[in-house]
Amino acid sequence: MPMAEMTTETNTKPERAASTQPSDMMERSVLVVSPEKENGETEYKRQVFSPSTSRLRSLATQMSYRLDEGMGRCIYNVGVEDDGCHSLLDYQSVAESARVVECIARSLNSVVLERTMIQGEVMMEKGGAPMLTKNKHSIVQVNEPAVLGGGAGCKHSVNEDEKEEKSPDDVEREKKRLSKEDGAFTRCILTIQRVETHLLDPSPVSLKRLISRKDRSESSVSDGIADSAEATTIAQGIASSNGQGSSTQSQSVLSGEYGHYSVSETLSKNNVRIAVVGNVDAGKSTLIGALTTSCLDDGRGKCRTSIMKHRHEIESGRTSTATTHLMGFKHNGDPIAGRDNIRANKRKTEDEVARESYRVCTLIDLAGHEKYLKTTIHGVSSGMCDYGLILVNSRHPPTHMTQHHLNLCCSFGIPVIVVFTKIDACPDHAIKNSKDEVFKLLRAPDVGRKPFAVRTEQDVSTCMGKLHILAPVLDTSCVTGEGMDLLRKMLFSLPKRRRHENKAKRPFEFLVEDVFNVPGVGAVVSGFVNAGELTVGSSCNVYVGPNDDGSFMKTVAKSAHIARINTAHVTSGQSACLAFALNKELRKQLRRGMVVLKESPTCTREFDAEICVLKGEGTTIRQSYQAYLHILNVRQSAYARHIELVNNSAIGLPLSHKAGADDDDDGIVLRPGSRAKVRFEFAKRPEYIRPGMRMLFRDGRVRGVGVITDIPEVETTA
């Protein structure tokens, strides 16, 4: 329905009146404002009283349109007809309608910046007809505080020419000048601003219940229109009277058993990152699609199509890139519906899921095909994963890729959960054979996990806290839904393993994972805040690099986004996007693997690391050995310049570690199971690394893992 038709229907067919008023018999012909326009940010409402659920949906859609037209801000005139004439309603009717409009605004993540009540514009002639007052000084204009908080405060003025600060006593006197009696014709102007930072309410109240309940002082409103939608609360004073500060970071306000959490805290403290790996055709993307959309698969790729990124992935059904997807939970463990309550075919965006969630799981979808193994290795290395889901097709025994993925997770110390997929219509002997093979891999010495079958919710509670020795095993089907509830319960119960919030006091460190050029914005990088905090703005100077020559680019971090939500502050543990003020030439130098620092930018080409060569196919490592290194987000070839065995015996080196009788220390050879201290040198450019970072090296297959112990020479760039 066009917006003009919707508006006309709203005002020409109002809901039943709050009370019988003399103005109902009067002709509304006193023009106070210009007529309403079909487009634009301004909306007129005569009266909104006890709307039904379907009516609320229509009003919310209308307000969302006005907010979009005003670039996040709109103005509502309550008590005014579409043609701009005064509706001749009393104070109580207008105040109640304004309260309903404010509740609808809160459901759309918006706050009322100004609530201005105006009286004295219309007076009655001797014949009983209304007319516009001629005495401008008799007009009373009072700025009332917003009912649900977050408004501009109490600034009152008697007329438009007099705008001065008043004491609290003056404020009270001005408020008393508003007449609450019948015949005191009133209209209200509401300035509504969409905000991007919220406090999440773990005890949601529906919009319908909020509007109809007696207690008007509550500050919880729904984050959707249906009764099942989540409620949000917004701190007092989140927006100032001039509209600035709408993206200011909200502070956490603990209340009740579960407490209130801002979106920022939900995406850091209450965010569990899970890597989903497995052999090709194991159903990784299908499982993630079923979990995030809360829909079952049709067996023909319905769920995986909804989350895939590239066209060739949709056509082939095989993932080739690493992507992240948010799955939200309420405080009681119920998953957040991934589909919109009003538009069933519309999938919820990341910001909608984050705002409604008490806890979120970031599911990292990784490739399963062997030719994309390097992409999977980088995804696990740089993903800061808390746990790993190893998916196995129950109709086929595990392959060598399953073993590679299992060893990869164990190399990084990531606890694993084994999920057997496609158990619908799977013969009993086939799934038994698959489980026996997987159990052998789990019990192998280099993995050292005991399989634990999860069949009930009690089993989920049993294995919590023991994931360093147990490997939970679940049976699922994305078509029939079997085992999906248990898997959701398992994901919700997983404790956060990496405490990135403990690194908030360290210097700021942002790992760049991808680079974009956004029209109208400029250079944008996405990545992970590994340590520290940053408040973006025109005075936020940061260093981005290193470049090929080891230098860093000094620039300004203009703005930041978290889960598509604009914010002014990012902290450790969050996946964020930063926009930089870089010219075209400097923009071309941005690449993946860079780092954003607040101070003391350093880089190096050489470093020492203590490594362990993994057991497997014949691996021989000696001096000048070249491998491809993965150090968090850094990927580059490096040479082994010096090798020194760790804890070598006093009688000399074993024969297996000597290349020849005439060789000296340079002839040390590392074989599977060996531990050594190796000095590596990057082959192409210096990189930003620190002691303590975990590394992995490969030459087609993963050959070993290690930890950086020392950086002998550090290049410092101002």
Side-chain angles (χ1 to χ4, degrees), residues 12-262:
T12 56
K13 297 181 180 179
E15 293 82 359
R16 64 183 182 86
S19 60
T20 304
Q21 304 179 38
S23 60
D24 290 340
M25 305 300 296
M26 301 177 186
E27 181 182 0
R28 300 181 175 92
S29 58
V30 180
L31 188 68
V32 290
V33 292
S34 59
E36 183 188 57
K37 297 180 180 179
E38 180 178 354
N39 301 321
E41 61 180 9
T42 305
E43 176 67 29
Y44 296 169
K45 289 292 175 200
R46 175 194 297 174
Q47 186 178 13
V48 184
F49 183 79
S50 298
S52 62
T53 302
S54 60
R55 180 74 180 127
L56 283 174
R57 293 176 180 173
S58 175
L59 293 173
T61 303
Q62 191 178 54
M63 182 178 293
S64 179
Y65 171 79
R66 293 298 186 185
L67 287 169
D68 292 339
E69 286 287 296
M71 304 296 293
R73 176 177 292 194
C74 67
I75 298 174
Y76 265 63
N77 285 274
V78 181
V80 180
E81 303 294 311
D82 283 346
D83 56 4
C85 295
H86 205 294
S87 296
L88 306 180
L89 300 177
D90 59 18
Y91 176 86
Q92 297 295 344
S93 300
V94 174
E96 174 63 16
S97 299
R99 188 189 66 83
V100 174
V101 171
E102 185 172 350
C103 291
I104 297 173
R106 281 298 183 86
S107 73
L108 298 175
N109 306 317
S110 305
V111 294
V112 172
L113 299 181
E114 290 185 352
R115 172 187 165 113
T116 304
M117 289 290 183
I118 303 176
Q119 287 185 349
E121 288 182 305
V122 179
M123 59 179 297
M124 302 299 298
E125 291 182 320
K126 295 182 179 180
M131 63 173 292
L132 195 65
T133 182
K134 298 180 180 179
N135 184 9
K136 299 296 183 181
H137 295 283
S138 64
I139 299 177
V140 179
Q141 183 173 318
V142 179
N143 290 348
E144 296 184 338
V147 175
L148 300 180
C154 298
K155 293 183 181 180
H156 308 277
S157 58
V158 177
N159 56 46
E160 296 180 356
D161 297 329
E162 181 184 354
K163 293 185 179 180
E164 59 181 5
E165 296 293 333
K166 296 181 174 61
S167 65
D169 294 337
D170 295 335
V171 170
E172 291 299 324
R173 283 194 293 269
E174 290 293 341
K175 291 177 66 175
K176 292 179 181 178
R177 295 196 60 181
L178 286 176
S179 175
K180 307 294 179 67
E181 300 178 356
D182 292 345
F185 303 134
T186 309
R187 68 182 179 96
C188 178
I189 302 177
L190 298 174
T191 302
I192 300 172
Q193 173 74 47
R194 180 182 288 146
V195 295
E196 302 294 353
T197 50
H198 303 265
L199 295 177
L200 303 184
D201 187 357
S203 303
V205 179
S206 70
L207 178 58
K208 183 65 178 176
R209 288 175 52 197
L210 179 70
I211 290 176
S212 60
R213 68 187 181 186
K214 296 180 180 180
D215 183 10
R216 309 302 189 191
S217 63
E218 295 286 338
S219 61
S220 298
V221 296
S222 76
D223 196 40
I225 302 304
D227 288 346
S228 61
E230 287 289 296
T232 62
T233 61
I234 303 182
Q236 296 284 343
I238 195 173
S240 59
S241 59
N242 58 6
Q244 296 179 350
S246 62
S247 61
T248 304
Q249 183 67 34
S250 299
Q251 300 294 326
S252 173
V253 182
L254 298 181
S255 174
E257 181 180 358
Y258 301 100
H260 298 287
Y261 291 93
S262 67

Side-chain angles (χ1 to χ4, degrees), residues 196 234 260 285 315-316 357 360 495 500 506 572 639 641 670:
E196 302 294 353
I234 303 182
H260 298 287
S285 299
E315 293 175 349
S316 64
S357 301
V360 295
H500 295 284
R506 286 169 42 181
S572 57
Y639 297 96
R641 293 307 186 191
L670 301 182

Side-chain angles (χ1 to χ4, degrees), residues 174-413:
E174 290 293 341
K175 291 177 66 175
K176 292 179 181 178
R177 295 196 60 181
L178 286 176
S179 175
K180 307 294 179 67
E181 300 178 356
D182 292 345
F185 303 134
T186 309
R187 68 182 179 96
C188 178
I189 302 177
L190 298 174
T191 302
I192 300 172
Q193 173 74 47
R194 180 182 288 146
V195 295
E196 302 294 353
T197 50
H198 303 265
L199 295 177
L200 303 184
D201 187 357
S203 303
V205 179
S206 70
L207 178 58
K208 183 65 178 176
R209 288 175 52 197
L210 179 70
I211 290 176
S212 60
R213 68 187 181 186
K214 296 180 180 180
D215 183 10
R216 309 302 189 191
S217 63
E218 295 286 338
S219 61
S220 298
V221 296
S222 76
D223 196 40
I225 302 304
D227 288 346
S228 61
E230 287 289 296
T232 62
T233 61
I234 303 182
Q236 296 284 343
I238 195 173
S240 59
S241 59
N242 58 6
Q244 296 179 350
S246 62
S247 61
T248 304
Q249 183 67 34
S250 299
Q251 300 294 326
S252 173
V253 182
L254 298 181
S255 174
E257 181 180 358
Y258 301 100
H260 298 287
Y261 291 93
S262 67
V263 174
S264 176
E265 291 176 313
T266 302
L267 294 175
S268 56
K269 295 181 180 180
N270 280 6
N271 183 10
V272 179
R273 300 173 66 88
I274 301 173
V276 182
V277 296
N279 188 31
V280 64
D281 298 332
K284 299 180 293 298
S285 299
T286 299
L287 180 68
I288 294 176
L291 290 174
T292 56
T293 61
S294 304
C295 297
L296 295 178
D297 190 47
D298 59 356
R300 296 184 295 274
K302 173 185 175 183
C303 289
R304 72 166 182 254
T305 304
S306 64
I307 68 168
M308 283 185 166
K309 187 176 181 180
H310 301 291
R311 181 183 182 90
H312 69 270
E313 293 179 336
I314 297 175
E315 293 175 349
S316 64
R318 293 181 177 177
T319 303
S320 61
T321 57
T323 56
T324 59
H325 309 275
L326 288 186
M327 179 184 181
F329 293 95
K330 302 177 183 178
H331 66 87
N332 58 359
D334 293 339
I336 300 295
R339 295 289 181 179
D340 191 87
N341 293 322
I342 301 176
R343 293 164 287 184
N345 293 329
K346 179 182 178 295
R347 187 184 173 202
K348 286 187 177 178
T349 58
E350 288 185 351
D351 59 322
E352 293 174 327
V353 174
R355 286 167 177 152
E356 296 182 23
S357 301
Y358 164 75
R359 164 174 285 192
V360 295
C361 286
T362 301
L363 302 175
I364 306 175
D365 188 16
L366 300 172
H369 199 279
E370 186 172 3
K371 70 177 181 178
Y372 303 126
L373 179 60
K374 58 186 179 184
T375 303
T376 302
I377 293 174
H378 176 68
V380 175
S381 172
S382 62
M384 298 290 182
C385 302
D386 294 288
Y387 301 93
L389 285 185
I390 308 292
L391 268 60
V392 181
N393 189 344
S394 59
R395 303 178 186 180
H396 304 286
T399 64
H400 67 286
M401 290 304 300
T402 305
Q403 184 175 5
H404 282 310
H405 294 151
L406 185 58
N407 292 335
L408 181 63
C409 292
C410 294
S411 299
F412 283 98

